[in-house]
Amino acid sequence: MLSRSRYRRAGRFDATALGLLLALLAALGISVAPSARADVDPVVVAYTAAYGGIVCQVLDQGHDTTAGMLGIGQAIIEDGLSPYQAGQVLALSVTEICPRYTPLLRQFIARYSQARTIA
């Protein structure tokens, strides 16, 4: 495994968090306005249909923290989706399959929106 500097890793983490945050905000807007659902990327819908239940299972297995949600988003990105798409998958999974995690989703958004505002 290649060694990276802390600053480089932190920058990549911040960029991923910001991408997921923006995607989550957009996806939440889509989930609130049913007429806007047509704007959801078909790749996101297909991925959520296939893996949305797994997203909820991972949250159920003790990863129900903002860091856990970020880790799930990063795993989705590693599957080939963009940070924006990953955020949409997270938001759709929570709103459609496991709405009990809506408060966590809101905490995730609040945490990373504050982090980017301060930085």
Side-chain angles (χ1 to χ4, degrees):
M1 183 162 122
L2 297 174
S3 176
R4 296 183 189 153
S5 72
R6 284 186 189 169
Y7 297 110
R8 191 171 182 187
R9 282 184 289 185
R12 182 169 282 172
F13 180 79
D14 285 347
T16 301
L18 180 59
L20 288 171
L21 170 65
L22 293 174
L24 286 171
L25 291 173
L28 285 177
I30 289 169
S31 68
V32 172
S35 62
R37 282 197 186 272
D39 295 343
V40 177
D41 185 339
V43 172
V44 170
V45 173
Y47 191 95
T48 303
Y51 301 106
I54 294 172
V55 168
C56 295
Q57 286 175 0
V58 171
L59 291 170
D60 287 340
Q61 292 172 354
H63 299 284
D64 55 343
T65 65
T66 54
M69 188 165 277
L70 183 62
I72 294 168
Q74 289 173 326
I76 295 168
I77 291 168
E78 289 175 10
D79 276 349
L81 278 70
S82 71
Y84 183 83
Q85 290 171 320
Q88 285 186 322
V89 168
L90 286 171
L92 286 175
S93 296
V94 168
T95 58
E96 300 298 326
I97 301 170
C98 50
R100 65 190 171 277
Y101 290 115
T102 300
L104 174 63
L105 187 64
R106 290 186 179 137
Q107 288 174 3
F108 178 81
I109 293 167
R111 177 177 179 186
Y112 289 105
S113 65
Q114 286 179 346
R116 291 310 295 170
T117 306
I118 294 170

